[in-house]
Amino acid sequence: MLRCEDAARLDRLYLAADRTRRAVVGDAVFFRGLVEISNYCVRGCHYCGLRAANHRVRRYRLTQDDILACARAIKAHGLTTVVLQGGEDPTIDAASMAGLIREIREQTGLTVTLSLGEHSPETLALWHQAGATRYLLRFETSNPSLYEQYHPRAAGLPSRLELLQQLRDIGYEVGSGVLVGLPGQTYADLGRDIQFFATLDLDMIGVGPFVPHPDTPLGKSGRVSPEQVPADASMTFKVIALARLIQPAANVPVTTALRTVDPEVGFKRGLCAGANVVMPNFTPEHSRGDYAIYPGKVTATLSVADNIRNLKNTLAALGRTVGEGHGDSPNRRRRWGGSTT
Ligand code: SAH
């Protein structure tokens, strides 16, 4: 199906994914408020504009008060989840992050999702005890040699996968995913990536097209071989649909990267291909443009209110509803029973 270009066959794929989505997770679309807390990063990921060696990015780190204000704004907009995302910022110490998580839980009752890269199991357990219940950590690619090539001085794919298992053992709802069209990624690689979603029994699956960033080693790479997966919206819709079919109870967002490469209909078509989540950006406007993992992010200039209004209009036109409650993955309920919050 990844190679398929036959419109009628693809329509059948999207229809099957959409039916499965409706039957398993329903018509509700959950909004998660994204706060990009720091763009400092010690890592050297070849695709990412926040890599340590990129000196052209203006670095920022939100204060705890900034982040709490974002959490209150998320609650004021009627959302029930905050996602704290960031680079691997060595100055973010485990104890103060735990304090922040506790404070957010006490002040707002929001579900706290973390997306802060790799940390020790002890730190991850501390944050879970403090009240964070979901963790997003993409494995990026299941091809070990590509993984190693693009993640210098990192621990390697097996250790990233082990960390996903540790997150699960700690009790987190676990999200992961890959880049679509990473240079060197073949159709066979991407097929294996998708099978991995089921092997890992993921609760959340986030996929987006690779968007070249000019200030990174992969800034200028194009499509080099016929086996190279294109990094475009069409391929991403296919991956969303296949993710829904292979791991039906997962929460699957329409990612900002997908909305960026297809600002017109990316959100709508993603929702019709199996997705049920969106993550509007609540990072303060003074810093939002600096969280430039890739250039041209669609939400970089949109106000929070306008973004949410547009998203809700699209939902309404599709006959979909805004999710109520915390929107735990049904997968998680099957695994642990009850609600997390
Ligand atoms: N430091 C955290 C968060 C990373 S940002 C972590 O390691 O998990 C979230 C995701 O952005 C990454 O997992 C990666 O898949 C994606 N990303 C990074 N650079 C990108 C690019 N150039 N184009 C598209 N997505 C990118």
Side-chain angles (χ1 to χ4, degrees):
M1 289 315 297
L2 293 175
R3 292 179 200 268
C4 177
E5 288 179 16
D6 179 294
R9 255 190 97 199
L10 284 173
D11 281 346
R12 286 201 294 280
L13 169 67
Y14 298 133
L15 201 63
D18 197 46
R19 284 206 183 113
T20 300
R21 185 272 308 152
R22 168 175 278 190
V24 181
V25 297
D27 280 334
V29 176
F30 287 93
F31 285 55
R32 320 297 200 193
L34 178 66
V35 184
E36 296 151 332
I37 65 172
S38 167
N39 70 354
Y40 283 89
C41 192
V42 296
R43 303 280 296 255
C45 309
H46 278 196
Y47 42 80
C48 182
L50 304 187
R51 61 202 307 272
N54 182 13
H55 297 297
R56 300 179 76 160
V57 60
R58 190 172 59 171
R59 303 284 172 171
Y60 74 89
R61 181 179 294 123
L62 300 184
T63 65
Q64 295 225 355
D65 285 344
D66 286 335
I67 300 168
L68 281 166
C70 293
R72 285 191 293 269
I74 289 167
K75 188 179 167 75
H77 275 86
L79 277 57
T80 52
T81 296
V82 58
V83 181
L84 303 180
Q85 192 181 81
E88 288 183 25
D89 180 343
T91 71
I92 293 182
D93 76 287
S96 54
M97 180 55 73
L100 173 65
I101 294 164
R102 245 186 220 104
E103 201 61 38
I104 293 175
R105 295 282 306 141
E106 271 164 28
Q107 286 193 22
T108 66
L110 293 173
T111 292
V112 177
T113 303
L114 302 178
S115 176
L116 301 171
E118 297 185 16
H119 295 274
S120 71
E122 293 73 30
T123 295
L124 296 168
L126 183 73
W127 294 343
H128 187 259
Q129 280 157 18
T133 49
R134 303 182 188 144
Y135 208 98
L136 304 174
L137 185 79
R138 291 183 177 177
F139 60 88
E140 316 291 2
T141 172
S142 64
N143 175 328
S145 61
L146 266 192
Y147 186 94
E148 252 129 74
Q149 186 183 343
Y150 294 150
H151 301 102
R153 298 183 305 280
L157 182 60
S159 102
R160 186 110 171 159
L161 295 176
E162 194 187 327
L163 200 52
L164 288 171
Q165 186 54 49
Q166 287 164 338
L167 286 164
R168 165 74 36 84
D169 293 343
I170 290 168
Y172 283 101
E173 208 176 305
V174 177
S176 193
V178 296
L179 289 152
V180 174
L182 195 58
Q185 180 187 58
T186 65
Y187 287 94
D189 289 331
L190 186 54
R192 224 176 298 109
D193 291 347
I194 294 167
Q195 287 175 325
F196 249 87
F197 298 160
T199 309
L200 294 168
D201 193 20
L202 295 177
D203 305 310
M204 302 169 280
I205 301 171
V207 293
F210 159 69
V211 184
H213 189 302
D215 301 325
T216 64
L218 292 177
K220 280 178 268 303
S221 41
R223 199 176 168 184
V224 284
S225 97
E227 286 304 301
Q228 168 70 50
V229 172
D232 61 21
S234 306
M235 189 57 60
T236 308
F237 298 136
K238 291 181 187 176
V239 179
I240 287 176
L242 294 166
R244 171 61 65 203
L245 290 171
I246 203 166
Q247 187 65 2
N251 282 327
V252 178
V254 176
T255 56
T256 305
L258 175 54
R259 291 170 59 210
T260 296
V261 300
D262 189 351
E264 280 298 308
V265 291
F267 179 53
K268 176 166 163 243
R269 288 196 54 199
L271 287 182
C272 296
N276 70 322
V277 169
V278 67
M279 296 162 63
N281 196 323
F282 280 78
T283 307
E285 275 169 40
H286 57 80
S287 298
R288 209 183 294 165
D290 296 323
Y291 197 80
I293 53 183
Y294 51 82
K297 252 166 68 182
V298 69
T299 50
T301 49
L302 217 52
S303 79
V304 167
D306 286 346
N307 187 19
I308 291 186
R309 191 175 319 109
N310 295 346
L311 295 171
K312 286 190 175 167
N313 286 341
T314 307
L315 285 196
L318 292 175
R320 303 275 287 271
T321 54
V322 178
E324 283 172 15
H326 289 268
D328 296 333
S329 160
N331 231 353
R332 182 189 167 91
R333 276 178 247 141
R334 164 176 61 73
R335 198 172 296 119
W336 281 289
S339 170
T340 56
T341 35

